[in-house]
Amino acid sequence: MGPPGERDEAWFTRVYAVQYAHIVRYGQRRLASADASAELAQEVFVVAWRRRHEVPDHSLPWLYGVARRLLANQWRARRDAPDVLPITDADLPREAGPSAADATVGIADLRAALATLADLDQEILRLIGWEELTVSEAAQVLGCTRAAAAVRLHRARRRLAGAMSSQAAPPSPQAVLTTPRKGL
């Protein structure tokens, strides 16, 4: 992207063209409408333009961090607003795809298990799984060290596996009291 001194309109246009779709998808996974996710992306790029000398060459994790903070501010300011969903209610990809019934059930199970986790566990799993960031990039988004992000990811995966296995466990058979029937 060039040294910070070359952060002009052409630089911004390139960053916008390359990263805009990623930021919109990030918002779609967390917001109730496509319009809200597009609005979030616009706000992210307003911040990126204002702070263009702080944007690193590999800008996507930095932009995700801005989006995450903007969403956190929105959720704090408008907790009861119907157009913003809490992170625990965010859907997996909303578009119907050519998936089989088993995949749909698997996604529903995953979504239910994910909803039982703490917000920070959900976010690290989404950053790595959905946004396809590296642990170092996720650490940048979360504002922590790479080691802390790796530990959070490990623990979140373990908690998710536990939540998935507890959902998959068959119901335990209940003891039934029976009395022999007389007269048979």
Side-chain angles (χ1 to χ4, degrees):
M1 295 286 160
E6 298 176 16
R7 299 292 169 98
D8 58 1
E9 190 174 334
W11 168 86
F12 180 79
T13 302
R14 283 191 308 273
V15 170
Y16 185 88
V18 170
Q19 307 298 7
Y20 179 79
H22 294 289
I23 302 302
V24 168
R25 282 192 301 274
Y26 180 93
Q28 287 173 336
R29 293 180 181 108
R30 290 158 177 84
L31 297 167
S33 74
D35 291 338
S37 63
E39 184 177 319
L40 172 68
Q42 295 304 319
E43 290 178 39
V44 167
F45 284 101
V46 166
V47 172
W49 175 252
R50 279 196 325 248
R51 297 176 58 194
R52 64 189 171 271
H53 295 291
E54 299 172 32
V55 179
D57 287 340
H58 185 60
S59 61
L60 188 59
W62 189 89
L63 295 169
Y64 282 153
V66 171
R68 181 174 185 264
R69 285 184 290 283
L70 288 171
L71 284 175
N73 290 341
Q74 284 180 7
W75 289 327
R76 277 192 295 274
R78 304 176 356 187
R79 289 192 180 170
D80 297 328
D83 62 330
V84 177
L85 297 174
I87 198 164
T88 57
D89 293 338
D91 285 330
L92 289 172
R94 297 174 193 261
E95 301 87 28
S99 60
D102 289 342
T104 303
V105 171
I107 289 173
D109 292 343
L110 177 61
R111 181 176 183 262
L114 194 61
T116 65
L117 302 179
D119 288 347
L120 191 55
D121 286 347
Q122 292 181 41
E123 187 65 7
I124 188 79
L125 291 168
R126 286 182 176 131
L127 289 171
I128 300 296
W130 291 356
E131 312 308 338
E132 299 178 358
L133 297 182
T134 66
V135 174
S136 296
E137 293 168 338
Q140 183 181 355
V141 173
L142 297 173
C144 64
T145 65
R146 186 204 178 287
V151 169
R152 287 178 184 175
L153 177 61
H154 173 74
R155 290 177 180 166
R157 283 178 173 162
R158 190 176 58 214
R159 289 182 190 117
L160 180 62
M164 292 289 293
S165 66
S166 69
Q167 286 181 352
S172 59
Q174 296 180 352
V176 178
L177 296 176
T178 60
T179 56
R181 294 179 99 182
K182 295 182 181 178
L184 287 179

